[in-house]
Amino acid sequence: MPDLANTSAATVLGRCDELATHTSLPDGLIERVYLSPQHAAVNALAAGWMRGAGMNTWQDAAGNQCGRLEGATPGLPALLLGSHLDTVPSAGRYDGILGVLGAIAVVERINAGGRRLPFALEVVAFGDEEGTRFGTALLGSRALAGTWLDAWWELTDEAGTTLRAAFLAFGLDPAAITSAARTSNDFVGYLEAHIEQGPVLEENDQPLGIVSSIAGARRFQITITGKAGHSGTPWTHRRDALAGASEAIVAIERLARDADLIATVGHLAVFPDAVNVIAGRAEFSLDLRGRFDTDRDMAWQQIEALLEEICATRGLHVAVDQTHTAPAAHCSDRLRGVIAAGIGAAGTRADGAPAAGPAPLELLSMAGHDAMAVAHLTEIGMLFVRCAGGVSHHPDESVTEADVAQALDAFEAAVLALADTHGDEAPA
């Protein structure tokens, strides 16, 4: 029988702490990348917790850990719940992880309650959302969505290991990747709980919020090539790749601000990287995000022209490699509605009356999520949980037990609200 003690916020947070010990970094820092020994370890833990919640479990052909609780009759389409277990370098312990462990707890609660729903419940712990190891994000959820690209097999990590070789080392068969793909008939929707990764909920003193849509993203690796030379070289003879990259980065920031977009350069490398040598090559990343794909793509065209102009003026050459693209994803009206109902139910007083307070906020997510990939298959909805200072992708990432308790109640209530209305209305 399920143990309801395992469904408390304290237990969920304790499991987040346990997963944080599975890391490739020393001194308490967290890094857990796709197809690593740490990935295998957390999959095994998650599988055990899924089985404890009453689910049948399997690891799919992409390394995603999955579990399923049947509905009123076996074989029904499922409501998919989940998030990811991989991290960025020097990560926090809740981004993605809280959504997976919270989903397991909610399934355990519903199973313990004895109600059989008009759909199955599945939980997925995606193996790669961040893209830390191979440079392109959403590999796990793209495999599930059936949008895997064969070109990815030749991606390499910092050690030169290809994605294909990493699959084999993890015990996966690259030739079987298509078996991870699901169809739209498999699901009735997808719900994901996630920390906000922003300060809006905290600034409005609200523990939970509803995601309206997820911004579309494109990522690029940009290489500017000049000519290395002695630091004593006169200005007229310099072809300084770093100076060109610096000018470009500042110009990109200015252009993105003016267009109300988000542009982030998170990686910069200089070659030959010596104190008395002009840089002959500079490489930097660009992560470009926007509410609307058309605005984002128009800004990229302007950035491309800007790069060409800067490099032509300085006698440099620029090369661009797009490493990731994901369209903006709209959260359906129906699932936004059940999340709102769930938040309302979680806020009721002991006497059953609604608690006083403002209506839940709807927020645009500028951060990407697995929901973006799953939107290729089925309608999506997301619940945001307040995080301290809006800090994420950092060891200081923090949530409160009270907020997590309310999130678990709201997520469970949202699932049940969907069950109550299932079949009454078409997806929006």
Side-chain angles (χ1 to χ4, degrees):
M1 284 290 294
D3 182 357
L4 287 181
N6 291 333
T7 72
S8 70
T11 296
V12 168
L13 291 172
R15 289 175 172 179
C16 290
D17 292 341
E18 184 173 355
L19 294 190
T21 65
H22 294 276
T23 173
S24 59
L25 296 181
D27 303 323
L29 295 174
I30 304 169
E31 181 179 66
R32 189 167 52 248
V33 300
Y34 189 39
L35 305 177
S36 64
Q38 294 77 28
H39 175 186
V42 297
N43 270 13
L45 284 169
W49 294 327
M50 289 175 179
R51 288 190 291 271
M55 288 181 265
N56 295 320
T57 64
W58 70 97
Q59 180 177 270
D60 73 13
N64 301 314
Q65 180 59 49
C66 307
R68 179 180 171 97
L69 179 71
E70 295 293 348
T73 58
L76 289 170
L79 176 63
L80 185 64
L81 315 173
S83 195
H84 62 95
L85 294 182
D86 67 310
T87 76
V88 297
S90 298
R93 60 190 61 203
Y94 304 113
D95 175 352
I97 293 89
L98 183 64
V100 174
L101 302 184
I104 294 171
V106 164
V107 171
E108 189 159 359
R109 288 183 179 187
I110 291 172
N111 189 26
R115 178 178 175 184
R116 289 298 167 250
L117 306 184
F119 43 75
L121 293 175
E122 290 191 16
V123 175
V124 58
F126 289 114
D128 174 88
E129 189 258 12
E130 301 289 5
T132 298
R133 183 174 183 185
F134 293 102
T136 191
L138 306 175
L139 290 175
S141 46
R142 290 285 298 271
L144 179 138
T147 55
W148 185 275
L149 299 179
D150 284 341
W152 291 340
W153 291 121
E154 302 312 314
L155 292 172
T156 59
D157 63 12
E158 290 185 350
T161 303
T162 66
L163 181 57
R164 183 185 299 277
F167 257 63
L168 294 169
F170 197 76
L172 299 174
D173 179 5
I177 189 64
T178 56
S179 68
R182 310 292 292 275
T183 72
S184 58
N185 292 330
D186 290 329
F187 301 121
V188 301
Y190 172 74
L191 292 176
E192 180 173 356
H194 204 283
I195 60 170
E196 181 195 350
Q197 299 177 282
V200 177
L201 290 175
E202 186 176 67
E203 289 173 353
N204 286 272
D205 194 27
Q206 293 200 35
L208 307 175
I210 305 164
V211 177
S212 58
S213 60
I214 307 169
R218 294 175 70 178
R219 292 182 183 174
F220 304 90
Q221 184 71 20
I222 300 169
T223 302
I224 293 180
T225 305
K227 185 176 181 180
H230 193 282
S231 59
T233 302
W235 292 112
T236 53
H237 288 70
R238 288 177 177 241
R239 293 170 54 204
D240 189 332
L242 178 56
S246 301
E247 183 179 350
I249 291 167
V250 172
I252 289 169
E253 181 186 51
R254 182 173 59 251
L255 188 152
R257 282 178 177 270
D258 291 345
D260 194 25
L261 301 170
I262 297 293
T264 303
V265 174
H267 166 75
L268 174 65
V270 180
F271 306 90
D273 194 22
V275 68
N276 60 344
V277 180
I278 298 165
R281 187 170 87 255
E283 299 174 354
F284 63 95
S285 62
L286 173 62
D287 184 310
L288 185 64
R289 302 174 187 239
R291 181 189 300 263
F292 301 109
D293 294 342
T294 52
D295 294 345
R296 178 204 63 196
D297 294 344
M298 185 180 300
W300 169 245
Q301 291 175 3
Q302 294 174 306
I303 290 170
E304 276 192 303
L306 191 68
L307 289 168
E308 292 288 354
E309 179 183 345
I310 289 170
C311 289
T313 300
R314 290 179 169 272
L316 306 171
H317 175 264
V318 61
V320 175
D321 178 28
Q322 179 171 284
T323 59
H324 169 72
T325 182
H330 173 73
C331 294
S332 78
D333 292 342
R334 180 167 73 149
L335 294 186
R336 285 156 65 184
V338 300
I339 292 171
I343 293 174
T348 54
R349 302 191 317 233
D351 61 5
L361 292 172
E362 290 206 358
L363 302 91
L364 168 71
S365 176
M366 293 304 293
H369 302 283
D370 288 302
M372 302 172 77
V374 181
H376 181 77
L377 286 181
T378 189
E379 58 179 321
I380 62 170
M382 287 193 67
L383 172 74
F384 265 169
V385 184
R386 172 170 53 189
C387 62
V391 174
S392 181
H393 284 192
H394 189 277
D396 290 345
E397 205 171 80
S398 179
V399 295
T400 69
E401 185 175 332
D403 285 357
V404 172
Q406 198 157 340
L408 292 172
D409 290 346
F411 206 66
E412 179 187 9
V415 172
L416 297 178
L418 184 63
D420 289 338
T421 60
H422 184 62
D424 293 346
E425 55 182 304

